[in-house]
Amino acid sequence: MAKRHHIATHDKLSSAPAVVSTSIISETVVLDPVSDKYFSLEGVGPRIWELLQESTTLAALNETILKEYEVDEVTCERDVRALVGELVESGLVIHEPIE
């Protein structure tokens, strides 16, 4: 089982350097050629992936998603945290804790 990471709202997050992605219609496919792990992102996932192309935080991700989509704050934070957590656990996103 993958290790669970605690991601604080102001920790730095960014896509892993070796990871490649492509968009196909309403979906983004993300691949790590080193581990052969991939994700298919749909819905708000492609937008979150786009935001992760530069260093960001959970707080910034949540703020952007709340502005751009019709979603309540609790649902947004829960869903964004869950997706980012999966991407970190899979090695597709780098998590740098702020101490």
Side-chain angles (χ1 to χ4, degrees):
M1 179 181 272
K3 177 185 173 191
R4 292 280 176 187
H5 295 268
H6 173 71
I7 303 171
T9 57
H10 294 290
D11 288 353
K12 288 184 182 180
L13 300 163
S14 60
S15 61
V19 173
V20 294
S21 63
T22 189
S23 295
I24 306 165
I25 306 173
S26 62
E27 170 183 29
T28 296
V29 178
V30 182
L31 170 70
D32 178 358
V34 175
S35 68
D36 285 336
K37 291 183 181 177
Y38 73 92
F39 263 73
S40 174
L41 303 172
E42 297 177 327
V44 71
R47 179 63 175 133
I48 292 171
W49 181 254
E50 179 183 351
L51 295 167
L52 286 164
Q53 298 313 294
E54 297 199 18
S55 185
T56 191
T57 64
L58 272 178
L61 290 172
N62 287 328
E63 183 179 325
T64 299
I65 299 306
L66 282 168
K67 285 180 186 175
E68 296 180 2
Y69 294 85
E70 291 186 31
V71 62
D72 65 88
E73 192 171 340
V74 172
T75 302
C76 178
E77 181 162 336
R78 181 195 66 218
D79 292 353
V80 169
R81 181 178 294 278
L83 176 58
V84 169
E86 286 183 59
L87 294 170
V88 168
E89 289 173 16
S90 296
L92 301 172
V93 166
I94 296 172
H95 169 224
E96 297 177 55
I98 300 299
E99 297 180 23

